[in-house]
Amino acid sequence: MSRTIFVNLPVHDLTKAVDFFAAVGFTADPMATGADTTRMIVGDECSVMLHTEKSFQSYAQCDITDTKTSREVIVGVSATSRTEVDDLVARAVAAGGTALGEAQDQGFMYMWGFRDVDGHQWSFLFLDASVVGAA
């Protein structure tokens, strides 16, 4: 059974957040876009729902995490190669995000993290099947 994941995130400025994720390579869904929420399609089975803080709080019914001082989640997204990991992080940084240190190469896994314009932590990762299969 296939399932689709919808990651919901609060954002300070919806337009700025949509522009950021479009620059990274996600696609806005015009059918799920309004004044307070935009769906950004990550892939066939994953989307990010960007909500204004007021909209997000109405769903969460609790305080929103302050991304300057704490983390509630780290969103990991697969990549097809090490080169794509580097390219995606470079695009995120060029769009206003912040890279988190250097890429980490663990042999079977290559990953690099960044914070988006609202401080949410992300990582792109490539799992090398040829190394995993050789272990």
Side-chain angles (χ1 to χ4, degrees):
M1 173 184 195
S2 178
R3 297 187 189 274
T4 301
I5 295 174
F6 294 87
V7 177
N8 291 264
L9 295 175
V11 298
H12 300 296
D13 180 324
L14 185 58
T15 300
K16 184 176 178 179
V18 168
D19 290 346
F20 173 83
F21 286 108
V24 171
F26 301 169
T27 305
D29 177 358
M31 300 299 291
T33 295
D36 297 321
T37 300
T38 296
R39 174 184 177 215
M40 300 298 293
I41 301 168
V42 178
D44 291 340
E45 297 178 357
C46 183
S47 295
V48 177
M49 302 299 294
L50 303 174
H51 302 276
T52 61
E53 290 178 332
K54 182 179 179 182
S55 173
F56 183 87
Q57 201 156 29
S58 73
Y59 291 111
Q61 299 181 357
C62 63
D63 292 337
I64 296 172
T65 300
D66 181 353
T67 58
K68 291 178 184 161
T69 60
S70 62
R71 298 283 159 257
E72 183 175 62
V73 67
I74 299 173
V75 181
V77 179
S78 65
T80 59
S81 67
R82 294 167 187 257
T83 302
E84 186 181 31
V85 168
D86 293 344
D87 178 59
L88 290 166
V89 172
R91 290 160 80 181
V93 170
T98 304
L100 298 174
E102 299 295 321
Q104 297 178 20
D105 187 349
Q106 299 177 1
F108 71 96
M109 180 175 64
Y110 181 82
M111 63 184 242
W112 197 0
F114 69 93
R115 290 204 179 99
D116 66 25
V117 293
D118 287 285
H120 303 293
Q121 191 164 327
W122 293 75
S123 63
F124 287 114
L125 56 112
F126 169 66
L127 297 174
D128 190 340
S130 68
V131 175
V132 173

